[in-house]
Amino acid sequence: MTVSLARLRALRQESGTSPRVPAVATTDSRTQIEALRKLIRLKERAQPKQAPAHSRVIPGIEIAEGLWLAESFHALDAAWPDQLCCKFDRRDVPVHTRDLLFFDTETTGLAGGTGTRAFMIGVADIQDAHLRIRQLTISTMRAETAMLETFQSWLAPGTVLASYNGKSYDAPLLRTRFRLMSLADPISALDHIDLLYPSRRHWKGRYENCRLATIEHRVLGVVREDDLPGSEAPAAWLQYLRGGSAHMLKRVLAHNHQDVVSLARLFVRLSQTGSPVAEE
């Protein structure tokens, strides 16, 4: 209801007091309020959206601050002999199965160098009738030393490392990281069988290339579903460090898991080929 000024004056005279008139916001005050609201909206947009706590969980158990261990067992296609022929690697002496440690790393870059670090190390060895797979993942930069020390604890003087291009990439990178973390290098003194070179000798020219993914598909019949390419692993880990969910990191774990399983199966297949130049 609208009250005229004349009526207000009349009421004032009758009561002897001035009736309170609702305050009306001035143009300046409205401008200030709108500016404040705008600042609040900008601040809300700037706040990083945190992923739900459950989506941040990395598979496995946290064995040290920021260091996660995932362990699983893969049933072998057939019982492994106590020794495996290594003529495919130009070796006359077979290797003891119990000494083999298949390993693969996932790193922050593919170029190598002191700026590249491993954020995941996967290994596989024989345990009775199963292949045991252990994977170390760091969720903070500070956990790198603990990861390297744990990996070192899995090595013995008689360990025979087995990898795919590990002599040129994985092993040198880990040696560099051990040195930068002021830790003794446990890798250089160990025997190392790199399956890339015998695979090239045996299958080069028969397939489009000799990448592990190609060899495992063509030779072992492995078909990877929803596999995350290794080139995307660095981005997946960095996304997690910045507060993202663990979804992509879990895909990296699955990729690494298949890598070490394929290494073990490929080693057996190569041991059955005999000489390093034999054809199937």
Side-chain angles (χ1 to χ4, degrees), residues 175-196:
R175 284 197 295 266
T176 298
R177 301 313 302 179
F178 273 105
R179 184 175 67 253
L180 291 176
M181 296 298 107
S182 300
L183 299 172
D185 166 24
I187 297 176
S188 297
L190 299 179
D191 195 3
H192 189 166
I193 299 176
D194 193 326
L195 302 183
L196 170 62

Side-chain angles (χ1 to χ4, degrees), residues 253-274:
L253 275 160
H255 174 90
N256 180 263
H257 183 282
Q258 184 59 61
D259 278 350
V260 292
V261 171
S262 291
L263 280 175
R265 292 185 59 195
L266 181 59
F267 195 103
V268 173
R269 181 54 182 260
L270 285 168
S271 72
Q272 297 169 346
T273 63

Side-chain angles (χ1 to χ4, degrees), residues 86-91 197-198 201-202 273-278:
C86 290
K87 288 185 177 180
F88 66 85
D89 197 43
R90 298 191 173 105
R91 296 167 180 246
Y197 306 108
R201 288 193 295 268
H202 199 76
T273 63
S275 70
V277 293

